[in-house]
Amino acid sequence: MTPLELHLLATPKAAPELRRHLREHGFDVRLCATELLTNVIDHLGEGTPVTVRVTGAAAAGRTRVEVTDPDPRALPVLLSAAATAESGRGLALVDALAERWGVDRGPDRKTVWCELPEPEQLA
């Protein structure tokens, strides 16, 4: 799989654009990438510059999705959303679909990442 790196502004219009760029990837990869992008919009604001990277590790049977933004302080938190809540499920979806996920922080950025099994690894 060819690595993908996109530089874009976190806006609602960027989500379908991101999914279009990821059309050769499975649904879970597209969903997780969109959820991580949406977290930037919701928690840092529309127009925040982000870098999205998707890489495959064929030997490991995984795809890694990374979303980097310029705020190392606003860390994602896994919440339990109430049944009637209109938001708060994005990271729970990522947590449910990914083999693992985490955050890498730098002095002027953070990268939220997740690793998903390749589709043929799902059983």
Side-chain angles (χ1 to χ4, degrees), residues 68-73 104-111:
T68 301
D69 68 61
D71 189 342
R73 298 164 298 151
D104 295 331
R105 292 170 67 184
D108 60 350
R109 60 149 186 86
K110 77 170 166 303
T111 299

Side-chain angles (χ1 to χ4, degrees), residues 2-92:
T2 305
L4 172 75
E5 182 170 303
L6 295 170
H7 301 276
L8 41 94
L9 297 178
T11 64
K13 287 175 26 179
E17 175 187 341
L18 176 58
R19 285 191 297 272
R20 192 171 50 256
H21 283 285
L22 295 174
R23 67 182 164 260
E24 70 181 65
H25 294 274
F27 176 79
D28 291 355
V29 169
R30 293 190 309 268
L31 178 62
C32 287
T34 303
E35 289 300 335
L36 295 179
L37 173 66
T38 301
N39 277 349
V40 174
I41 297 167
D42 290 347
H43 299 288
L44 298 182
E46 265 190 59
T48 301
V50 296
T51 301
V52 178
R53 282 178 222 75
V54 178
T55 56
R62 289 186 208 130
T63 299
R64 184 175 173 107
V65 177
E66 301 177 346
V67 176
T68 301
D69 68 61
D71 189 342
R73 298 164 298 151
L75 298 177
V77 176
L78 183 58
L79 302 173
S80 294
T84 57
E86 293 184 15
S87 63
R89 292 180 183 82
L91 201 52

Side-chain angles (χ1 to χ4, degrees), residues 89-113:
R89 292 180 183 82
L91 201 52
L93 282 171
V94 171
D95 185 63
L97 295 172
E99 289 181 343
R100 61 190 195 129
W101 67 273
V103 181
D104 295 331
R105 292 170 67 184
D108 60 350
R109 60 149 186 86
K110 77 170 166 303
T111 299
V112 182
W113 57 269

